[in-house]
Every structure is written in structure tokens, then in C-alpha cells.
Amino acid sequence: MLKLDHITKRYGALTALDDVSLNIAPGEFFGLLGPNGAGKTTLMSLVAGLRAPEAGGITLDGKPVTAADPSTRVSLGLVPQSIALYEDLSAEQNLRIFGELYGLRGADLRQRIDEALTAVQLADRRRDQVKTFSGGMQRRLNLVAALLHRPKLLLCDEPTVGIDPQSRNAIFDFLEARVRDGLTVIYSTHYMEEATRLCSRIGVIDHGKIHALGTLEELLARLPFQEEISFPASPLTAGLAARLAAHGEVTTGGDQHRFHPAPGFKNSAFYALTEELELSSRLFISERPTLEAVFLHLTGRSLRE
Ligand SMILES: Nc1ncnc2c1ncn2[C@@H]1O[C@H](COP(=O)(O)OP(=O)(O)O)[C@@H](O)[C@H]1O
Ligand SMILES: [Mg+2]
């Protein structure tokens, strides 16, 4: 469906995408997971043909994407990171504008608008101005606006930032149903929970590079540890973190230390240490590692920075 071949994109001296190659098959729900500034929006804008790369090529559905030739844009829908709607117009009027831009008219357009509003539970607000909508409602409207012309590929750029949990779940359910119908989705996020729940394959991106690519299981299998013990980072636990470094890997992200025991390290040794330092067992959580651990392991950075 989509192929990025050695893409490099610079803004002046800053390299926003650094030799990125990527293949996305039809029907994939692909997650682009990375912190702010990683290059997610830049990648989407190149795929949408809104900007041109300095090096490399992109093909969408077999056709080269170029900023000069808008013909490939018919095959894709873009849900931009910042909401792009006309606030003073109603939900229905907004969808009409989007539809007409794609050449839709008459009964066909009316029917698509009805279906879209129903799908995201906005049918009863169709005549209300968008500026009276909550952030979540605006997001849902922006999402269906990008799909009115029934593209093959949907680019969703952080569509759930700052919205209520009900709207977030409505967006998840809606996207999952569209992917079951055959839509291909590229979904950027800095929430590992979202990538874990939604995506059949995940690309971990940071500083313009894709550091790892695979299913969640494949990414977790790259970790040199299968257990993770986390505890709050504080003066109280600083001594423990220092001592544990001799027995595995200790990483610090946000306000948490994470300890990944080296092979052969016994949990009894861990508890002996915590007893020696008089630390309550309630401070510690032991679990299977998550995508966050993969990210920290690959980049040395916390996703939540
Ligand atoms: N129009 C621009 N001009 C200059 N620098 C930009 C521009 N857009 C993005 N950048 C920089 O490029 C890098 C990647 O940005 P972006 O693609 O927006 O990342 P993300 O969407 O993952 O947060 C960041 O360092 C950002 O500051
Ligand atoms: Mg962005």
C-alpha cells in the first residue's frame, strides 16, 4: 500500500527524518510510536504530499507521491494533529465542504454525511456550530471528514491528545471497525497503551529514525530481559538503584526506576537487598515489560518526556 524508500527530510540544519524506509501492507493498522519531535507529523506530511523529502521516494498504491502532483491524495485521508474544521459552520456543513472538495455531490454526498455523523454519534448535533463542540466531538468529526471520499489509507496524527475517555474509545472502536473493513491506517501516538491496544505492527521512532519495527511480541522479544521491577525514584531508593546496577540494567524515566535483572539473577537476592536497605515491599511492582521498556531500551529516553 505504502512504501517509503530511504527518506530524508530536513528543516534547515535539523534532520527531521533520517534515511527512513518503511513498507505498509494493505489492511495494516500501523502504529508510529514516538515522543514529541520524533518526526511523526513530518512523516505524515510527506506521505500526504504536503512536503517533499530531500532524498528518497514514496509510493502510495503503486504511484509515486510528489508535492507537485496531487493525484495520489485521492487514495488517502489525513486527520491532522491540530483540528482542521470551520468553527462557525455546523457539523453537516463542514462535512459537505470536505465531500465537495473530493467531488462528491447530491444524494450520494448526503448519504455519506448521514452515515459519517451516525458512525461517530454526532447525528443529533449535525446542525450545531462546531465551536459549541467538545474537543472529543471535534476530533470525531475531523476523523470522519477525512474518510468521506473512502480513501484506502488513513493517516491519523495523534488523534486522541487531550480528549475525554469516551471520545477516545469511540475513536478506537470506529478505527478498528474500518480496519476490519479493509482500511489501512497509520496512527501516530506517544501513548504506548494506544499502540499496544490498536496496532498490528509498530514502528518506534525517535530523532527522525525508526529504531525498531514489528508486532508488539516481536518488539518485546528484542529486550534482553523478560522481567521488569519498577519503583519510585527518590532519595530513599537511590542507594538501591546504585546497588542493582551491578545485577542488571537500571533505567530511569519520569519518576520511576526500572530494573531489568541480568539472566540468572535471583529474586531472592533482590529481596535480600531491599531488606538490607529497609525498603518496604510495597514500593516495588514486578511485571512483564511493556512497550515503554522497549522504547527506553532502544533510545535511552522516556516516552513521556
Ligand atoms: N516547519 C518546521 N520548521 C522547522 N522545524 C520543524 C518544522 N516542523 C517540525 N520541525 C522540527 O522537526 C522535528 C520533528 O517534528 P515533528 O515531525 O513535528 O515531530 P512529532 O510529530 O513526532 O512531534 C522537531 O525537532 C521539530 O521541531
Ligand atoms: Mg506531531
Side-chain angles (χ1 to χ4, degrees), residues 9-12 14-17 32-45 51 81 157-158 188-190 205-208:
K9 173 69 198 166
R10 295 192 193 91
Y11 300 108
L14 183 125
T15 302
L17 291 176
L32 202 53
L33 179 74
N36 287 336
K40 305 181 295 296
T41 298
T42 300
L43 190 149
M44 298 226 176
S45 68
R51 296 176 191 282
Q81 188 168 352
D157 198 0
E158 305 210 39
S188 84
T189 181
H190 62 270
I205 183 168
D206 191 26
H207 294 308

Side-chain angles (χ1 to χ4, degrees), residues 2 4 6-11 16-18 20 39-60 64-67 72-73 76 78 155:
L2 179 71
L4 274 68
H6 296 286
I7 291 293
T8 294
K9 173 69 198 166
R10 295 192 193 91
Y11 300 108
L17 291 176
D18 188 2
V20 169
K40 305 181 295 296
T41 298
T42 300
L43 190 149
M44 298 226 176
S45 68
L46 295 182
V47 172
L50 302 174
R51 296 176 191 282
E54 270 71 51
I58 301 176
T59 51
L60 173 60
V65 175
T66 63
T72 52
R73 292 187 202 168
L76 70 86
L78 172 63
L155 306 173

Side-chain angles (χ1 to χ4, degrees), residues 21-172:
S21 293
L22 191 61
N23 260 309
I24 299 196
E28 271 200 75
F29 201 140
F30 184 83
L32 202 53
L33 179 74
N36 287 336
K40 305 181 295 296
T41 298
T42 300
L43 190 149
M44 298 226 176
S45 68
L46 295 182
V47 172
L50 302 174
R51 296 176 191 282
E54 270 71 51
I58 301 176
T59 51
L60 173 60
D61 208 16
K63 292 186 220 97
V65 175
T66 63
D69 170 15
S71 69
T72 52
R73 292 187 202 168
V74 187
S75 309
L76 70 86
L78 172 63
V79 186
Q81 188 168 352
S82 35
I83 288 167
L85 295 167
Y86 296 97
E87 289 207 311
D88 293 328
L89 300 183
S90 70
E92 190 169 6
Q93 286 167 329
N94 268 280
L95 292 182
R96 180 161 295 279
I97 289 173
F98 276 85
E100 286 177 353
L101 283 173
Y102 284 100
L104 301 171
R105 299 282 183 274
D108 179 35
L109 177 56
R110 274 200 301 279
Q111 191 192 336
R112 290 186 195 210
I113 289 174
D114 286 348
E115 283 171 9
L117 290 169
T118 304
V120 289
Q121 294 126 48
L122 289 172
D124 57 337
R125 300 291 303 269
R126 60 192 301 152
R127 296 194 211 290
D128 295 344
Q129 282 182 315
V130 163
K131 68 176 165 207
T132 68
F133 286 9
S134 71
M137 291 163 73
Q138 295 188 9
R139 279 277 169 209
R140 275 142 56 198
L141 185 62
N142 220 172
L143 178 61
V144 284
L147 285 169
L148 272 184
H149 62 294
R150 300 190 182 141
K152 294 178 180 174
L153 173 67
L154 182 70
L155 306 173
C156 274
D157 198 0
E158 305 210 39
T160 61
V161 169
I163 69 172
D164 56 287
Q166 285 78 11
S167 284
R168 173 177 300 150
N169 280 319
I171 287 175
F172 290 172

